[in-house]
Amino acid sequence: MRGFRVSAFRLPMNFQTHFSNWVLLRARLLWLTLGIAAFATVNAIASLDERYSFSLPEQELVDSLDSFSEATGINIVASSRVVKGITAPAITGELSGREVLNRLIAETDLIF
C-alpha cells in the first residue's frame, strides 16, 4: 500500500478564489461593524451632553436607569446583581444625560 500523497489533493481554482473572496468579505464586514460601533459610541457620548426633561421619582436604581434609557434613547448596561437594592434619588428638571447619570449613582460605588 502506498502512502497518502498530499499533493494529490488540490482544491479547484474557483474554490480557492471564492474562499479568498469570502475571507476578504468577512474582513470588510468586521471593519464596517467596528466603524458602526465606534460611530454609535461617539453618538452616545454626544447624547449624554444633550438636555432632556426628567421627572424621576425616588425608586430602585434599575427602574431609574430604565426610565433614563426611555427618555434619552441611550441604553445602559448594568448587572442586576450590582444595582439590586440600590435606591436612586428623585430627579426632576431639564438636565443633560450626564448630569442625571451622575446624580443617579452619586451615593454608590458605581461609575460610568
Side-chain angles (χ1 to χ4, degrees), residues 56-106:
L56 304 174
E58 183 176 308
Q59 60 186 350
E60 290 282 322
L61 180 57
V62 68
D63 296 326
S64 289
L65 292 175
D66 284 342
S67 297
F68 173 86
S69 292
E70 288 175 14
T72 63
I74 300 170
N75 293 323
I76 304 295
V77 179
S79 170
S80 60
R81 289 183 292 190
V82 173
V83 297
K84 185 177 181 178
I86 298 175
T87 302
I91 299 175
T92 305
E94 191 82 17
L95 304 162
S96 72
R98 188 178 310 278
E99 291 171 314
V100 172
L101 282 178
N102 282 327
R103 289 183 185 186
L104 287 173
I105 63 173

Side-chain angles (χ1 to χ4, degrees), residues 33-44:
T33 303
L34 291 175
I36 290 170
F39 180 74
T41 301
V42 168
N43 281 341

Side-chain angles (χ1 to χ4, degrees), residues 8-77:
F9 178 73
R10 288 192 171 182
L11 295 172
M13 187 58 153
N14 63 348
F15 177 81
Q16 291 174 346
T17 303
H18 288 301
F19 183 74
S20 297
N21 289 341
W22 180 80
V23 170
L24 247 170
L25 177 64
R26 297 280 300 198
R28 288 179 181 158
L29 287 174
L30 174 64
W31 281 109
L32 177 64
T33 303
L34 291 175
I36 290 170
F39 180 74
T41 301
V42 168
N43 281 341
I45 291 170
S47 296
L48 281 175
D49 294 325
E50 288 182 33
R51 298 186 80 71
Y52 302 92
S53 180
F54 290 97
S55 181
L56 304 174
E58 183 176 308
Q59 60 186 350
E60 290 282 322
L61 180 57
V62 68
D63 296 326
S64 289
L65 292 175
D66 284 342
S67 297
F68 173 86
S69 292
E70 288 175 14
T72 63
I74 300 170
N75 293 323
I76 304 295
V77 179

